[in-house]
Amino acid sequence: MNADSNEAASQSGQRKETQMTEATNSQQYIIRDDVPIPPESTQDEHLVYEAKLAQIAEDVKNDNSVAASPREILTWFGAKRRGVNVTAKIRKQMEEHGLKTFPDFEYEYIDGEVRFKPTDWNPVLLTNQTLDVNSGVTEKDIADETSPQPLNEGLGITDPTYRLGKLPAANKKPLTVKPTDSIAKAVTLMMEHDYSQLAVVTTPSSVEGLFTWESLATRLHFGHTPETVGECMARPHVISSELSIFDAVVEITRHDVALVRAPNKMITGIVTTFDLSQQFRQLGEPFLLLGEIENQIRRLLDGCFTLQELKGGRDDTDSEREINGLSDLTFGEYLRLIENQQNWTKLDIPLDRPEFVKKLDEVRVIRNSVMHFDPDGIDGSDLDALRKFALFLQRIADVKHSKNIV
């Protein structure tokens, strides 16, 4: 189900249900799209997720395994990211309906698939057998076996480890060619999509190699005149989507590129060093910007207040905490200092105090979200707000510095 499906259901008011059958499993997984969501202007958030979860609970009770993506689940609750408060609310509501998800919705790739299960359901591990949730072995098959052993924390049920499978590139179906395809076809596809490599496959799970600009150039340089992709393939490096992102970094930087294989043995994506750099920028930039902003605020406040005035900015609920200088105050307490008109005057900044305080408070809210380590990262608009405020503070600092020089 996606946003377009929701919109269609809303407009038509019709109840509909789509079914998806996995190729390796005869069991059908229902993706519920039959509870119409009212138009946004009249939508009651509580009614939306209550209706969705109630219907899913009924389906699960009737032995239908219902599938959804974490992003879909978030939309039922009027959210976009899996922040700590949103996640807690979703868990509470699912528990009230006797539901949980497998894999855990909080840690699965946001556009991946999770399945709703009863709260008392657990995957099991049989003697000398590992459960592959995407294999042809069904839960019923396992339940019928003798001596099952419950797995409480295994298989990533509530695993906060940041794994390779959470990267968008690891979940983007790769563009592929066959070994018998012509060089001209492969080159055309790479130029058309601005790719440096293509996976060479015979089946979705069988990788023969990689066709790259380097592999082609090497053959040509040594006087070969290849006509098909299979004549100039590089050896593929395949890694598991379950690999820790930090372990994956070592592998990918060593080989420049790696194919990602899911637990069901299918190739789900290609991750390059460029993809890693983008991901680490997304994860790291908010922390660096917040550090810059906090240091700039300290720089503005430094030397402007007595120790007693600094203590006056301390949170009333934490009156026993010792304050010996500016560094002992929290970000929220910096804001509290600046909110005071008399304190603002001491900063000697000819700007509008209410507007400055408003923006600083917005940064405080974003900071709280970032420090809770939202698995989906920071929202684009929030990141833009941090960038702009950091630049704003830098401009103020530059002007004050030039004024002091004069």
Side-chain angles (χ1 to χ4, degrees):
M1 183 179 66
N2 52 34
D4 292 334
S5 301
N6 279 341
E7 183 179 347
S10 301
Q11 292 174 350
S12 65
Q14 296 175 347
R15 295 174 62 84
K16 67 177 182 176
E17 178 179 290
T18 58
Q19 293 184 327
M20 176 181 66
T21 305
E22 293 189 356
T24 57
N25 196 336
S26 60
Q27 182 178 358
Q28 289 182 320
Y29 295 99
I30 298 175
I31 302 179
R32 270 287 170 193
D33 208 21
D34 61 337
V35 181
I37 298 178
E40 187 172 347
S41 58
T42 61
Q43 177 175 320
D44 186 302
E45 178 188 302
H46 175 76
L47 293 178
V48 173
Y49 66 70
E50 181 67 31
K52 287 284 187 182
L53 294 179
Q55 182 61 66
I56 291 171
E58 184 65 24
D59 286 333
V60 170
K61 183 179 178 181
N62 292 327
D63 294 327
N64 291 317
S65 186
V66 185
S69 72
R71 191 186 301 276
E72 289 175 66
I73 297 172
L74 288 171
T75 62
W76 303 344
F77 289 78
K80 294 181 179 179
R81 306 200 319 271
R82 289 171 285 190
V84 61
N85 294 328
V86 170
T87 299
K89 180 178 180 179
I90 293 175
R91 289 194 187 282
K92 180 175 183 295
Q93 293 302 320
M94 287 200 303
E95 288 173 4
E96 290 182 0
H97 287 82
L99 297 168
K100 67 180 180 182
T101 62
F102 182 83
D104 191 293
F105 77 92
E106 184 176 357
Y107 304 113
E108 179 68 4
Y109 174 57
I110 192 168
D111 290 312
E113 181 185 280
V114 298
R115 299 166 189 166
F116 287 89
K117 304 291 183 184
T119 51
D120 59 355
W121 179 88
N122 272 311
V124 295
L125 182 67
L126 303 180
T127 305
N128 300 322
Q129 179 181 350
T130 301
L131 170 64
D132 180 348
V133 296
N134 291 307
S135 71
V137 180
T138 67
E139 296 151 27
K140 184 178 185 302
D141 294 332
I142 294 173
D144 289 342
E145 296 284 350
T146 58
S147 303
Q149 301 171 0
L151 281 179
N152 294 320
E153 295 298 327
L155 302 177
I157 298 172
T158 54
D159 181 9
T161 303
Y162 202 101
R163 300 193 182 279
L164 180 63
K166 290 183 179 178
L167 269 63
N171 292 274
K172 183 179 180 181
K173 186 177 180 180
L175 191 62
T176 63
V177 287
K178 297 177 182 178
T180 54
D181 285 336
S182 68
I183 298 294
K185 179 178 179 180
V187 169
T188 301
L189 288 173
M190 288 203 297
M191 292 181 66
E192 178 186 354
H193 295 276
D194 194 24
Y195 287 170
S196 298
Q197 63 281 311
L198 296 172
V200 185
V201 302
T202 51
T203 69
S205 60
S206 178
V207 181
E208 299 295 322
L210 277 176
F211 179 83
T212 69
W213 291 123
E214 182 181 357
S215 68
L216 176 60
T218 300
R219 268 54 168 199
L220 293 175
H221 178 74
F222 279 91
H224 292 254
T225 54
E227 295 182 358
T228 65
V229 168
E231 296 176 64
C232 52
M233 295 186 300
R235 181 176 298 178
H237 187 67
V238 183
I239 56 179
S240 170
S241 63
E242 296 297 301
L243 199 63
S244 159
I245 187 67
F246 300 107
D247 292 333
V249 166
V250 176
E251 295 293 321
I252 295 170
T253 53
R254 181 184 300 155
H255 299 277
D256 292 327
V257 59
L259 295 166
V260 182
R261 192 188 298 277
N264 64 355
K265 309 303 180 185
M266 305 292 281
I267 298 299
T268 59
I270 296 180
V271 179
T272 66
T273 50
F274 174 77
D275 297 316
L276 289 179
S277 67
Q278 291 293 98
Q279 187 66 22
F280 277 97
R281 176 179 178 177
Q282 178 185 343
L283 293 174
E285 187 177 9
F287 291 94
L288 296 176
L289 286 171
L290 284 168
E292 179 181 339
I293 289 171
E294 194 156 346
N295 287 330
Q296 289 284 14
I297 292 296
R298 285 201 195 103
R299 188 177 175 186
L300 286 176
L301 301 180
D302 189 36
C304 295
F305 303 104
T306 65
L307 180 58
Q308 196 59 37
E309 288 170 332
L310 291 178
K311 289 181 178 180
R314 179 174 49 196
D315 188 343
D316 294 333
T317 62
D318 195 15
S319 58
E320 297 301 317
R321 177 162 50 91
E322 189 173 348
I323 303 295
N324 293 313
L326 193 59
S327 60
D328 294 321
L329 296 181
T330 66
F331 193 90
E333 289 167 340
Y334 296 153
L335 178 61
R336 187 175 181 180
L337 270 178
I338 296 174
E339 283 178 329
N340 181 284
Q341 177 62 59
Q342 186 176 353
N343 290 342
W344 174 259
T345 303
K346 292 185 176 184
L347 299 182
D348 190 27
I349 302 176
L351 296 173
D352 184 69
R353 180 184 59 84
E355 181 63 22
F356 187 96
V357 168
K358 175 185 173 183
K359 292 300 180 184
L360 188 59
D361 191 47
E362 289 176 3
V363 170
R364 179 190 62 81
V365 173
I366 296 172
R367 181 181 183 277
N368 289 344
S369 176
V370 169
M371 294 306 173
H372 277 111
F373 301 100
D374 185 336
D376 300 320
I378 189 172
D379 186 79
S381 60
D382 288 345
L383 182 58
D384 188 54
L386 292 182
R387 289 169 177 162
K388 288 180 178 178
F389 197 73
L391 180 60
F392 172 56
L393 291 178
Q394 183 61 57
R395 288 170 176 165
I396 294 174
D398 289 344
V399 172
K400 287 177 69 68
H401 179 67
S402 63
K403 179 179 179 182
N404 291 336
I405 292 177
V406 174

